[in-house]
Amino acid sequence: MEHAHHVEHPDMYDEESSKIGMWLFIFTELLLFGALFVVYAVYRYMNPDAFHLAAEELNRMIGAINTIILLISSMTIAMSTTALRKGHRKLAIALVSITFLIGLAFLVNKYFEWGVKFSHGIWPGSEHMLNEMSQGEILFFGLYFVMTGLHALHIIIGMAIMVFAIRGLINGKVQIDRPSLLDNCGLYWHLVDLIWIFLFPLFYLIH
């Protein structure tokens, strides 16, 4: 009996601590991006015309496609947690895998978008920016690369968590009575989507 109690207690403790840890992590991420949003708002207020001019260089279609992609991914990751709770493990695996592929599609779009900017000589510290752009435009693109790059990093981290969740679903470590890893994966991915929902209008719909 003592041995059984010893096994159950760590499982319960680990599940609760992982949830608390994820919520604390999400809170710190919201503080980080919240501070960046404040910086953006201040610089945009100080350089409204330059920010509008610089935003013309961004492709709103790609931004809109990425927004739709992430909204769909939020739905699929939420469906995966629901499927697991209903005992449909294979369906949960398929839905997480689809979410992973959607995240990959987002990164591919971002790669090509950044590639176009680089081909036009637009990247932090480039001669084109330093010699031909105003200070306000430089600030805009500096914030654009930092904030969208940081968001892309979060996409990669989220996809890595999905890999662990899929492995857990396959080997039985994530199941109907132990869904914490998949739940935390979903929470993190919703955070990633939420951040992009703010980034998209700030940079792409500034007109």
Side-chain angles (χ1 to χ4, degrees):
M1 293 294 292
E2 290 181 1
H3 177 70
H5 177 73
H6 177 72
V7 172
E8 291 177 7
H9 184 265
D11 287 345
M12 292 177 61
Y13 175 80
D14 182 69
E15 183 174 345
E16 292 301 315
S17 63
S18 66
K19 289 180 179 179
I20 294 173
M22 179 55 70
W23 279 111
L24 288 174
F25 178 71
I26 288 174
F27 178 71
T28 59
E29 293 297 288
L30 289 174
L31 288 178
L32 170 62
F33 277 95
L36 290 172
F37 289 142
V38 170
V39 171
Y40 172 93
V42 171
Y43 282 134
R44 178 176 175 178
Y45 177 78
M46 295 172 61
N47 306 275
D49 294 335
F51 269 49
H52 279 258
L53 182 62
E56 294 288 344
E57 295 286 340
L58 300 185
N59 189 319
R60 279 176 284 178
M61 181 59 69
I62 291 181
I65 291 172
N66 272 344
T67 302
I68 295 171
I69 283 175
L70 287 186
L71 288 175
I72 294 173
S73 72
S74 264
M75 178 183 69
T76 54
I77 197 70
M79 289 170 65
S80 71
T81 59
T82 301
L84 180 62
R85 281 181 167 78
K86 292 183 177 181
H88 305 307
R89 185 173 61 88
K90 291 184 178 179
L91 179 58
I93 293 171
L95 288 166
V96 179
S97 300
I98 290 171
T99 308
F100 179 92
L101 293 175
I102 292 173
L104 183 62
F106 178 95
L107 291 177
V108 170
N109 272 344
K110 183 58 62 179
Y111 169 81
F112 283 112
E113 184 183 14
W114 275 32
V116 171
K117 299 295 173 294
F118 285 12
S119 68
H120 293 165
I122 300 175
W123 69 82
S126 69
E127 291 187 11
H128 173 70
M129 288 183 64
L130 294 176
N131 297 330
E132 300 184 29
M133 290 188 176
S134 66
Q135 185 64 31
E137 291 174 280
I138 293 173
L139 287 171
F140 175 89
F141 282 112
L143 288 169
Y144 165 78
F145 281 111
V146 168
M147 295 174 74
T148 59
L150 192 58
H151 178 263
L153 176 61
H154 282 69
I155 289 281
I156 294 171
I157 294 172
M159 291 170 63
I161 298 174
M162 286 179 207
V163 171
F164 285 105
I166 292 170
R167 288 180 60 185
L169 285 165
I170 292 173
N171 61 31
K173 290 183 179 180
V174 177
Q175 46 190 292
I176 190 169
D177 58 342
R178 293 189 60 179
S180 59
L181 178 56
L182 184 58
D183 287 345
N184 287 339
C185 179
L187 283 173
Y188 184 84
W189 197 252
H190 290 318
L191 168 68
V192 171
D193 293 351
L194 178 65
I195 292 170
W196 181 257
I197 288 173
F198 282 96
L199 289 176
F200 175 60
L202 287 179
F203 287 105
Y204 296 85
L205 303 181
I206 192 173
H207 318 288

